[in-house]
Amino acid sequence: MELTHFSFNVDDGIAVVLLDRAEEPVNTIGPAIFDDFNTVVERIETDESIKAVVFGSAKRNNFLAGADIRFFDTITEAEEGAAVIRQLHTLFTRIEALHAVHDKPVVMAIDGACLGGGLEFALTGSMRIATDNRKTQLGQPEVQLGILPAGGGTQRLPKLVGIATALDMILTGRPVRPHKARKIGLVDEVVPREVLYEVAKRRASESIGHLGEGGGSSFKSFLAPTHLQDLALEQNPVGRRMLFKKAEEAMLEKTKGLYPAPQRALEAVKIGIEQGNAAGYEAEATFFGELIISPESKALRGIFFASQMKKHATGISSNAEPKQVSKVGVLGGGLMGAGIATVSALKAGATVRIKEVDTNGVEHALRHVSRQIAKQVTRRRMTSFEGEQTMNKVTATTNWSGFENADLVIEAVFESLELKQDLLGQVEDLIEDDVVFASNTSSLPISQIAADARHPERVLGMHYFSPVEKMPLLEVIVTDDTDDRATVTAVEFGKRQGKTVIVVKDGPGFYTTRILVPYLNEAFFLLADGASVEAIDEAMVNWGFPVGPLLLTDEVGIDVGAHIVKIMRDAFGDRIAGPDMMAGLIEDDRKGRKNGRGFYLYNDKGERGSVDDSVYKALGLGPRRVLTETEIHGRIVSAMINEAARCLEEGVLQSSLDGDIGAVMGLGFPPFRGGPFWWVDQVGAANMVAKLDGLTEMYGERFAPAQILRDHAESGKPLR
Ligand code: 3H9
């Protein structure tokens, strides 16, 4: 038996089969290993000396990461996709039958990622044992790639953990950690990595002779009390109908019906429950075929690969080496500063010194960090000892003590050029010549902040997004003077903080803020043209943005928005000027959520209510009229995309891929549309130009298409 992707050892009647795609960084499943897999199963079925099986992985921290996502791009027809899935179903059904039919219990020994098809494979076993390794996670992330679990996940998972829990995992794509997996009955035991195979072999041996108790749904898990409760509700047709209805409502509320994959996944679960496994598997295959060639899935896969590529990117073209950062100084312990401190200690493992103006600020900053760490402990992502150790890395002060040792200083104070310049000057008096200074500004040009710097080559921007702990993007901004060493230091440290990093050229608004301004401005133009606040925000949410532009203005702060819009207008002139409504709002003391007065009404607790109709009077606007959603999102999105294209044309962006990553991860551009450039490729650059030309005719030069769009319209070449 020649095997390329597995090792196979039989000891005392127990076959230990380890998957190892030696040539790949992680184990994945796809046609390339089907033959090997079938050979393994056949040997287990026929070799009488084998009484039980343990399946595991020869890779550290990785059990099986699911289907090989690269393979998906080779599928061009729905039927082709469905056929691959049927083949996989046959294989998985045979593995499930090893216990149920051949009386050979199968124990899945799981250490590391067990995702997608990986979990579906694990579900075919009689029992699952997982390690308590931090890298161990079990999940069905398929919807995040615009497909559904198609290796039996929509059928086996609900039977094991109950419909409600399975739907939660399948529809959100969120993985569970080992202890949670144990609690919901997904795994039977959680053990330290060191004893995984010893325990797995023992359990395999103990299970020999217990025919029928395995077969995909573990006997033990079935007896868990929470499980019985769920089953009582779920076995009752009325209860079940209610459950599916609620799950569908919650899903539609989130997806606005824009993502076909969760809808199909829910349908597949329902078909399996109501019509039986065979119908359920067939639904999986058919829906997979349909989804895998859908534009939504292609765009989501495009984002996955783009963010994987960014993990390897340094943002520079030379071989400059990054400075090793172990100590970070953070100026300002407000929401941004404290967030930066948190990810620097928690994710990057650095020692952090925060400087605040007074003891109140110090306390506030430390409390923020401590809360974030406590959350990790509660969620069992770290032990309380590790939590304490991490907290010990963070200190705060009202003077400059500790800053002289920093390897990197990140400034996160109020958006005032003078203040930032002044702080840079003071820091330069303290730090060594090779220490990098970063400003977390969202709009001020870095070259202006560095105007009087003694060492402008070590000054750059590190633009984080709020809340820092959650938002995945970091925009590193470099001036003509910034050297490669500083750039790569910021990029590598950003990655350690868990960020996807893009490097952009300095300029007003850099990339993300710059494309946000025309987007917000166009919302104001629409208000001036008679559209209502609700209509504008709803149209954008229905197009796929997480919030509408006017609610976003309330969230960011109308005063902050006005400040940014002014900076951009000063820099780019009328081309990027809005209808100048912010001043009227500020005069009417409207700053947004923070003072409870904005486009929306807020109660005493800061909870948002409906639109505040008095806002129109404050803006000097008359009665509203109906504008179609197509007109609203057509104008707003075109304004944003056109500005993104200018950023590419001017070299602010290093690539269109960065532009897509920045818009999706920083601004919530709908991921299923792939980002501004991916989207232009979908609609066609020629169509985009025609649309912008039409808008220019109607509304003026602000819509004049970027030259790069015209070039691509002419050449027909894609932007991505
Ligand atoms: C599925 O399973 C469908 C089924 O229901 C039905 C059909 C069977 N494919 O992230 P890392 C590569 S859909 C191809 O840096 P980490 C990755 O590109 C699939 N390649 O490491 C990178 O390559 P490179 C559902 C993959 O330790 C390298 O591995 N599964 C795949 O931070 C290292 O990755 C998922 O969605 C893949 N499936 O995280 C899982 N996975 O070094 C997606 C990884 O050349 N993957 N690579 O740039 C992940 O979530 C993380 O990669 C993982 C490791 C947690 C596994």
Side-chain angles (χ1 to χ4, degrees):
M1 180 179 55
E2 274 290 311
L3 290 171
T4 314
H5 304 291
F6 293 89
S7 66
F8 198 117
N9 285 299
V10 185
D11 181 22
D12 240 3
I14 314 258
V16 177
V17 186
L18 304 185
L19 175 59
D20 185 8
R21 296 198 69 177
E23 71 290 5
E24 303 286 344
V26 296
N27 283 332
T28 55
I29 188 169
I33 68 164
F34 274 7
D35 281 352
D36 256 20
F37 233 137
N38 279 311
T39 310
V40 163
V41 176
E42 193 170 326
R43 165 138 185 225
I44 301 167
E45 285 168 346
T46 53
D47 186 336
E48 287 187 3
S49 73
I50 298 173
K51 305 291 180 208
V53 191
V54 171
F55 274 113
S57 158
K59 284 200 196 299
R60 205 175 164 84
N61 295 329
N62 180 255
F63 176 73
L64 176 52
D68 182 344
I69 302 170
R70 291 164 306 183
F71 159 71
F72 291 162
D73 286 345
T74 65
I75 302 173
T76 52
E77 302 286 336
E79 189 41 47
E80 200 186 334
V84 174
I85 295 303
R86 286 185 199 110
Q87 242 185 318
L88 186 71
H89 285 158
T90 307
L91 172 67
F92 281 3
T93 304
R94 272 176 84 185
I95 300 172
E96 193 172 41
L98 290 174
H99 193 182
V101 177
H102 299 273
D103 197 13
K104 300 182 181 192
V106 176
V107 177
M108 298 290 179
I110 301 164
D111 179 45
C114 175
L115 299 170
L119 178 56
E120 293 172 310
F121 165 60
L123 289 171
T124 63
S126 335
M127 185 181 276
R128 282 148 296 280
I129 301 177
T131 65
D132 58 5
N133 173 5
R134 193 162 303 143
K135 296 262 180 174
T136 300
Q137 49 171 327
L138 301 96
Q140 303 281 187
E142 287 88 342
V143 291
Q144 291 168 359
L145 297 167
I147 54 172
L148 82 167
T154 65
Q155 309 305 304
R156 292 188 180 96
L157 191 62
K159 291 179 185 87
L160 184 62
V161 301
I163 301 173
T165 307
L167 283 179
D168 185 52
M169 288 180 68
I170 291 171
L171 300 183
T172 64
R174 260 196 312 266
V176 293
R177 309 243 158 210
H179 291 286
K180 174 84 187 290
R182 167 84 187 84
K183 209 164 142 196
I184 62 175
L186 182 54
V187 302
D188 302 86
E189 244 174 301
V190 178
V191 300
R193 176 168 35 198
E194 294 70 25
V195 298
L196 176 64
Y197 286 98
E198 189 190 319
V199 175
K201 281 191 268 184
R202 199 180 322 136
R203 297 290 175 253
S205 171
E206 287 164 3
S207 306
I208 296 169
H210 294 272
L211 181 67
E213 287 171 10
S217 45
S218 150
F219 186 64
K220 268 199 202 166
S221 329
F222 244 70
L223 293 179
T226 51
H227 206 84
L228 286 178
Q229 240 174 32
D230 286 348
L231 285 181
L233 175 78
E234 293 175 6
Q235 276 169 1
N236 160 354
V238 181
R240 237 175 16 224
R241 220 172 302 134
M242 222 170 67
L243 199 154
F244 276 115
K245 191 164 168 276
K246 271 173 82 178
E248 186 164 13
E249 280 168 5
M251 183 253 298
L252 286 175
E253 166 74 25
K254 246 186 114 190
T255 63
K256 310 284 168 216
L258 295 168
Y259 291 78
Q263 232 148 341
R264 286 309 207 188
L266 187 115
E267 234 175 300
V269 173
K270 204 166 166 188
I271 290 172
I273 300 284
E274 287 171 359
Q275 299 170 34
N277 282 350
Y281 290 135
E282 190 44 35
E284 266 189 1
T286 312
F287 295 159
F288 177 85
E290 173 195 300
L291 292 170
I292 201 72
I293 55 167
S294 69
E296 291 86 356
S297 174
K298 286 181 186 162
L300 290 166
R301 274 144 47 201
I303 304 259
F304 173 80
F305 286 120
S307 55
Q308 291 292 338
M309 277 172 73
K310 297 309 299 176
K311 287 187 183 173
H312 302 289
T314 57
I316 56 169
S317 48
S318 74
N319 291 328
E321 289 288 325
K323 182 175 170 64
Q324 290 311 309
V325 177
S326 60
K327 296 192 191 92
V328 182
V330 178
L331 298 175
L335 198 61
M336 295 307 285
I340 294 166
T342 304
V343 294
S344 299
L346 195 63
K347 299 251 175 89
T351 304
V352 184
R353 184 75 160 163
I354 305 171
K355 182 176 184 304
E356 251 298 332
V357 282
D358 54 28
T359 47
N360 235 349
V362 163
E363 272 168 31
H364 190 270
L366 290 178
R367 207 174 316 124
H368 177 101
V369 180
S370 157
R371 271 205 206 114
Q372 296 298 324
I373 293 173
K375 261 192 217 166
Q376 300 296 311
V377 175
T378 315
R379 290 178 191 161
R380 296 217 201 197
R381 299 212 174 130
M382 55 183 7
T383 61
S384 48
F385 176 65
E386 288 165 332
E388 262 171 52
Q389 278 183 321
T390 308
M391 194 61 218
N392 288 342
K393 287 177 186 280
V394 186
T395 55
T397 170
T398 55
N399 55 42
W400 287 107
S401 62
F403 276 73
E404 64 282 0
N405 295 323
D407 303 309
L408 166 69
V409 175
I410 306 173
E411 161 282 298
V413 300
F414 178 69
E415 286 285 81
S416 148
L417 181 61
E418 294 71 33
L419 179 60
K420 286 175 191 281
Q421 284 174 333
D422 177 50
L423 284 171
L424 170 56
Q426 294 190 56
V427 170
E428 282 203 304
D429 287 340
L430 285 171
I431 56 177
E432 300 287 331
D433 286 355
D434 67 340
V435 173
V436 177
F437 180 93
S439 173
N440 171 53
T441 172
S442 57
S443 56
L444 292 168
I446 305 301
S447 56
Q448 288 181 20
I449 296 174
D452 301 324
R454 254 167 283 157
H455 291 284
E457 73 280 1
R458 48 117 163 252
V459 182
L460 43 69
M462 286 175 88
H463 179 199
Y464 294 84
F465 295 76
S466 181
V468 181
E469 292 82 2
K470 269 199 184 154
M471 294 291 283
L473 187 72
L474 170 65
E475 190 177 21
V476 168
I477 305 125
V478 298
T479 71
D480 290 341
D481 293 324
T482 311
D483 67 18
D484 280 358
R485 185 161 178 277
T487 308
V488 72
T489 300
V491 170
E492 293 306 327
F493 190 66
K495 288 185 205 167
R496 278 172 56 198
Q497 291 173 319
K499 303 296 171 199
T500 299
V501 189
I502 60 169
V503 175
V504 304
K505 207 170 83 176
D506 187 32
F510 331 120
Y511 171 62
T512 50
T513 308
R514 178 162 162 191
I515 68 167
L516 188 64
V517 167
Y519 170 89
L520 295 179
N521 278 344
E522 204 49 41
F524 282 92
F525 277 118
L526 281 154
L527 272 178
D529 289 348
S532 68
V533 173
E534 293 96 331
I536 295 170
D537 277 354
E538 261 171 45
M540 296 316 294
V541 169
N542 288 341
W543 202 73
F545 276 89
V547 291
L550 300 172
L551 176 55
L552 181 69
T553 309
D554 264 9
E555 295 288 337
V556 171
I558 294 173
D559 51 340
V560 175
H563 188 61
I564 293 172
V565 165
K566 182 178 175 314
I567 290 173
M568 297 293 284
R569 188 187 191 143
D570 290 348
F572 295 105
D574 282 349
R575 186 179 67 70
I576 220 165
D580 214 8
M581 289 183 175
M582 299 275 201
L585 293 172
I586 290 168
E587 237 167 67
D588 197 37
D589 190 30
R590 287 178 197 258
K591 291 187 182 155
R593 180 190 281 280
K594 63 184 160 197
N595 78 338
R597 286 176 58 75
F599 288 99
Y600 289 83
L601 293 165
Y602 299 88
N603 67 16
D604 295 345
K605 290 185 207 146
E607 291 160 344
R608 179 168 46 87
S610 56
V611 169
D612 181 355
D613 284 328
S614 67
V615 76
Y616 300 117
K617 193 160 164 254
L619 289 167
L621 296 173
R624 303 291 83 198
R625 67 186 177 92
V626 177
L627 273 80
T628 65
E629 281 209 353
T630 315
E631 174 171 358
I632 294 173
H633 64 63
R635 282 171 57 176
I636 295 182
V637 171
S638 301
M640 179 182 250
I641 288 181
N642 202 21
E643 200 60 33
R646 284 181 204 278
C647 289
L648 186 61
E649 192 176 300
E650 293 169 20
V652 168
L653 286 169
Q654 290 186 345
S655 66
S656 55
L657 182 142
D658 282 3
D660 285 343
I661 286 276
V664 170
M665 294 191 174
L667 303 177
F669 191 97
F672 74 94
R673 299 190 196 271
F677 297 102
W678 184 286
W679 183 241
V680 171
D681 287 343
Q682 294 308 296
V683 296
N687 289 329
M688 193 69 222
V689 167
K691 179 163 193 168
L692 285 164
D693 279 335
L695 289 169
T696 310
E697 225 167 83
M698 282 197 282
Y699 303 105
E701 279 304 300
R702 69 178 188 271
F703 282 109
Q707 185 56 41
I708 196 169
L709 290 177
R710 287 205 190 280
D711 295 346
H712 280 263
E714 209 164 287
S715 69
K717 279 194 198 144
L719 282 140
R720 269 285 296 273

